[in-house]
């Protein structure tokens, strides 16, 4: 069965700290790994990763994928209170000729001022 | 904004009742997937519709059914509601074919329908 595990499940840090969120997966027919930020309801897209070792960056956020060890990390530097959210890792898997997203449980990140 | 629209935003139902949730995909998207997100959990895949047919299904009972219309909008129906069906139901639209790895990739999620079963 396809599985995605995130750690930690919850993290509380002070504004300005750097955080690293982890995502490991066991999925057949891997296509891509995606990171989402969920503040209230709709998850919003952060990154899509398909190749190992290529870092993707967007401002203070960055992410990298290791397809050999089957994990990804999401880094946030100089955290701000607006970064407080649930961060979801999802793996896109091809199954029965169609693609689906398999999500982890999410990491709830709280940034204290 | 031509994003994904879901209705209603909130719903309270009694055990045993039936419910229908609706989703209008992002303009240009032809595929709709439904996810259930229980409190404190990640979204769980329910099923996906493409060309008005269920293309793939997750591990959900037959009480969960759906439909896609010619304009690509979709409905999720849940019969014989249980307390455990209380969750945020998310709809995500996408393109059914191939795409390139660019910032326009992907799945666009709606804001969801919060279903409470009492």
């Amino acid at each position: 069965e396809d599985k995605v595990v995130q750690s930690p499940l919850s993290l509380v840090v002070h504004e300005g700290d750097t955080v690293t969120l982890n995502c490991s997966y066991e999925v057949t027919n891997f296509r891509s790994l995606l990171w989402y930020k969920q503040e209230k309801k709709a998850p919003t897209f952060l990154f899509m990763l398909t190749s190992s070792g290529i870092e993707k960056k967007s401002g203070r956020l960055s992410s990298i994928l290791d397809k050999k060890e089957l994990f990804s990390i999401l880094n946030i530097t100089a955290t701000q209170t607006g970064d407080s959210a649930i961060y979801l890792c999802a793996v896109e898997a091809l199954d029965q000729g169609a693609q689906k997203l398999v999500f982890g449980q999410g990491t709830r990140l709280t940034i204290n001022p | 904004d031509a994003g994904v629209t879901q209705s209603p935003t909130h719903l309270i139902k009694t055990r045993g009742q039936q419910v229908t949730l609706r989703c209008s995909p992002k303009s240009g998207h032809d595929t709709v997937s439904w996810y259930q997100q229980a409190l404190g959990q990640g979204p769980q895949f329910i099923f996906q519709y493409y060309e008005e047919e269920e293309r793939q299904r997750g591990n959900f009972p037959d009480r969960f059914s759906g439909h896609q219309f010619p304009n690509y909008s979709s409905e999720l129906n849940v019969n014989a509601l249980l307390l455990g069906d209380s969750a945020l139901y998310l709809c995500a639209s996408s393109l059914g074919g191939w795409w390139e790895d660019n910032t326009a990739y992907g799945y666009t999620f709606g804001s969801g329908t919060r279903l409470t079963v009492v």
Side-chain angles (χ1 to χ4, degrees), chain B residues 27-92:
Chain B
S27 179
H29 284 180
D30 60 5
T31 301
V32 172
S33 303
W34 288 91
Y35 292 84
Q36 180 196 65
Q37 187 176 19
L39 201 61
Q41 301 294 317
Q44 299 291 312
F45 176 75
I46 303 175
F47 42 53
Q48 182 182 90
Y49 277 85
Y50 174 69
E51 293 187 341
E52 302 180 50
E53 290 193 0
E54 184 182 290
R55 185 158 74 167
Q56 191 181 163
R57 187 179 184 91
N59 191 23
F60 278 79
D62 292 344
R63 298 186 297 109
F64 290 77
S65 64
H67 189 78
Q68 185 179 36
F69 299 94
N71 66 353
Y72 307 122
S73 66
S74 177
E75 289 182 348
L76 164 65
N77 300 292
V78 187
N79 295 322
L81 285 167
L82 304 174
L83 296 179
D85 295 331
S86 295
L88 178 68
Y89 287 85
L90 293 165
C91 167

Side-chain angles (χ1 to χ4, degrees), chain B residues 7-18:
Chain B
S7 63
T9 54
H10 296 85
L11 203 52
I12 299 175
K13 289 285 189 179
T14 304
R15 267 185 307 176
Q17 285 189 313
Q18 178 264 344

